């Protein structure tokens, strides 16, 4: 591993330069990587592993949309696509990529397939960290590792196809064989990571749950809705309110931040915009930091995990979720956004009334 300073703090990272795909192929040459679950992360990771020359099979329930998708993606029933139990039996490395709720449900079945020397791989620290709620406690005779891409499986696959990569964290919870470090590095590179930074299961899930509920999804939606509604209440049209709230941010400013950082984005905006941003960012910081502190504490105490388990374990969970998503989908904010996006020059479809 390389030691690199991030803002003055030295961290251990694994890069493609020190651990190229060829090295990953050598480490994993005798392994059968069984990807259990073909929903959010499964397709991107399985396809990237396959394209990188790793022996990968997929485990998924038959007669499901995900089973059909795996077939469409080139996995062959009876050869590289199996029911969950058979894939778990065949695999020497088990990539446990079912949803958190499904992991809890399937765990009693999976345990018997985790024979000594196998590797149990996660992309989320949820099941292990909150094992007092999930009852996921692996045998001490198996390696338990984590590679968590910092984005969706869709993004992981898209960036891989483009010849790029999505940064991932990695962690080792148990090293029963003495080879867990090489295996997690190889898996991290083979799934398409740009580079890997070290963490542990608890820190991964704490940061992940805070991020999802905070700046990545929850907070940004609240921020968008608040500004949009203020502009609309003051007589601005839906298109103007959406463009100033969302479109300019996502299409113009965030790409600049991604390219060279917030300071560079500021430097490429008008002096009026710079002045306003510098005057107001601390007000937003003061307003939101207490909310983030409350959120972190809720994650740390297990409140958020229990809410997730309780909600996602209900039989009618999907139905309830779709109703909640419908509120977002039908809001004036995102109805306006649908039209704005359709008018982008790069879109090939016509404006929908």
């Amino acid at each position: 591993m390389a030691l690199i300073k991030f803002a003055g703090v030295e961290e251990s990272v694994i890069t493609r330069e020190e651990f190229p795909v060829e090295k990953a192929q050598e480490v994993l040459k005798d392994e059968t990587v069984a990807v259990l679950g073909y929903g959010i992360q499964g397709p991107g990771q399985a396809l990237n592993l396959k394209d990188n020359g790793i022996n990968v099979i997929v485990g998924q329930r038959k007669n499901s949309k995900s089973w059909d998708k795996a077939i469409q993606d080139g996995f062959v029933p009876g050869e590289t696509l199996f029911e969950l139990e058979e894939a778990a039996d065949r695999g020497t490395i088990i990539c446990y990529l079912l949803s958190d709720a499904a992991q809890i449900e399937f765990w009693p079945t999976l345990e018997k397939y985790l024979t000594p020397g196998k590797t149990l791989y996660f992309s989320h620290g949820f099941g292990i960290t909150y094992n007092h709620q999930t009852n996921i406690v692996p045998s001490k005779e198996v390696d338990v590792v984590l590679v968590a891409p910092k984005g969706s499986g869709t993004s992981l696959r898209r960036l891989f196809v483009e010849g790029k990569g999505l940064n991932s964290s990695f962690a080792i919870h148990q090293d029963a064989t003495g080879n867990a470090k090489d295996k997690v590095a190889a898996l991290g590179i083979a799934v398409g990571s740009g580079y890997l930074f070290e963490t542990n299961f608890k820190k991964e899930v704490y940061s992940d749950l805070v991020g999802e509920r905070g700046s990545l999804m929850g907070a940004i939606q609240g921020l968008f809705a608040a500004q949009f509604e203020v502009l609309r209440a003051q007589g601005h049209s839906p298109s103007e309110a959406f463009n100033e709230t969302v479109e300019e941010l996502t299409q113009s400013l965030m790409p600049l931040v991604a390219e060279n950082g917030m300071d560079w984005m500021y430097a490429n905006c008008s002096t009026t915009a710079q002045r306003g941003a510098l005057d107001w960012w601390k007000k937003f910081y003061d307003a939101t930091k207490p909310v983030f502190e409350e959120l972190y504490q809720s994650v740390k105490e297990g409140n958020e995990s229990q809410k997730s388990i309780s909600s996602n374990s209900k039989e009618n969970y999907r139905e309830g979720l779709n109703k909640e998503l419908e509120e977002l989908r039908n809001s004036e904010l995102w109805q306006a956004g649908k039209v704005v996006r359709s008018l982008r020059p790069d879109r090939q479809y016509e404006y929908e009334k």
Side-chain angles (χ1 to χ4, degrees):
M1 288 189 290
L3 293 175
I4 297 178
K5 284 189 176 181
F6 294 82
V9 178
E10 197 169 64
E11 298 184 34
S12 298
V13 302
I14 298 171
T15 67
R16 292 179 180 181
E17 287 71 30
E18 62 170 308
F19 211 108
V21 170
E22 292 76 16
K23 186 173 180 179
Q25 291 169 341
E26 178 64 24
V27 171
L28 301 174
K29 66 180 180 179
D30 297 322
E31 306 284 356
T32 297
V33 180
V35 176
L36 303 191
Y38 208 74
I40 304 301
Q41 279 289 333
Q45 294 202 32
L47 289 169
N48 291 358
L49 285 164
K50 180 182 175 184
D51 288 351
N52 271 329
I54 308 303
N55 180 26
V56 58
I57 62 176
V58 170
Q60 181 60 44
R61 291 296 182 203
K62 280 186 179 179
N63 302 318
S64 66
K65 291 181 179 179
S66 295
W67 176 274
D68 294 340
K69 176 172 172 49
I71 293 174
Q72 291 170 5
D73 287 344
F75 292 97
V76 180
E79 296 181 14
T80 54
L81 176 61
F82 304 92
E83 287 269 18
L84 290 167
E85 292 84 351
E86 186 170 357
D89 187 31
R90 288 171 175 265
T92 58
I93 296 175
I94 312 299
C95 294
Y96 207 25
L97 302 184
L98 298 172
S99 68
D100 293 327
Q103 284 186 15
I104 296 170
E105 181 182 359
F106 189 67
W107 178 250
T109 302
L110 178 62
E111 273 190 291
K112 62 186 176 186
Y113 297 110
L114 292 174
T115 51
K118 283 194 175 186
T119 299
L120 179 60
Y121 164 112
F122 292 87
S123 283
H124 194 19
F126 191 100
I128 295 294
T129 299
Y130 298 112
N131 58 25
H132 60 290
Q133 296 169 330
T134 67
N135 294 317
I136 295 177
V137 182
S139 160
K140 295 295 183 182
E141 297 180 297
V142 299
D143 292 342
V144 181
V145 301
L146 174 147
V147 173
K150 297 298 103 179
S152 70
T154 301
S155 298
L156 182 72
R157 180 60 179 168
R158 175 175 53 79
L159 290 170
F160 177 86
V161 171
E162 292 174 358
K164 302 175 184 177
L166 192 64
N167 300 331
S168 303
S169 58
F170 78 95
I172 299 171
H173 181 67
Q174 289 181 183
D175 185 4
T177 66
N179 297 317
K181 186 176 178 181
D182 278 348
K183 281 189 281 187
V184 74
L187 289 162
I189 293 300
V191 299
S193 302
Y195 78 91
L196 297 154
F197 61 94
E198 193 169 13
T199 187
N200 60 45
F201 276 61
K202 182 180 290 186
K203 288 181 179 178
E204 190 284 329
V205 73
Y206 283 7
S207 61
D208 188 72
L209 293 183
V210 169
E212 290 168 347
R213 286 151 179 76
S215 63
L216 302 179
M217 296 175 69
I220 197 69
Q221 167 60 25
L223 185 69
F224 283 163
Q227 179 171 305
F228 181 86
E229 289 174 13
V230 167
L231 290 172
R232 289 289 289 126
Q234 295 299 319
H236 296 269
S237 69
S239 61
E240 182 170 56
F242 186 87
N243 273 291
E244 291 295 339
T245 300
V246 179
E247 191 75 351
E248 187 171 354
L249 174 70
T250 59
Q251 297 301 294
S252 175
L253 300 185
M254 282 299 104
L256 295 180
V257 175
E259 189 174 346
N260 278 312
M262 185 69 78
D263 57 334
W264 195 74
M265 183 268 276
Y266 273 35
N268 283 273
C269 291
S270 70
T271 54
T272 301
Q274 292 172 14
R275 182 68 269 146
L278 291 170
D279 288 344
W280 277 88
W281 80 262
K282 291 183 180 178
K283 294 179 186 290
F284 285 104
Y285 171 87
D286 291 340
T288 59
K289 190 178 179 185
V291 180
F292 278 101
E293 289 172 338
E294 178 185 352
L295 169 57
Y296 193 92
Q297 196 62 28
S298 184
V299 168
K300 186 176 181 180
E301 292 175 357
N303 298 329
E304 297 304 307
S305 57
Q306 188 57 58
K307 289 178 189 176
S308 179
I309 292 170
S310 299
S311 172
N312 298 352
S313 299
K314 294 178 181 178
E315 288 186 7
N316 63 344
Y317 164 66
R318 288 290 176 187
E319 181 181 340
L321 175 65
N322 286 332
K323 286 183 179 178
E324 292 184 80
L325 291 174
E326 195 73 18
E327 180 183 353
L328 292 179
R329 192 178 301 118
N330 291 334
S331 67
E332 187 182 46
L333 168 63
W334 294 111
Q335 284 294 305
K338 183 179 180 181
V339 179
V340 170
R341 288 190 298 275
S342 74
L343 294 172
R344 291 176 189 163
D346 62 335
R347 291 297 173 105
Q348 299 301 308
Y349 52 85
E350 295 181 355
Y351 156 66
E352 299 177 12
K353 293 184 179 180

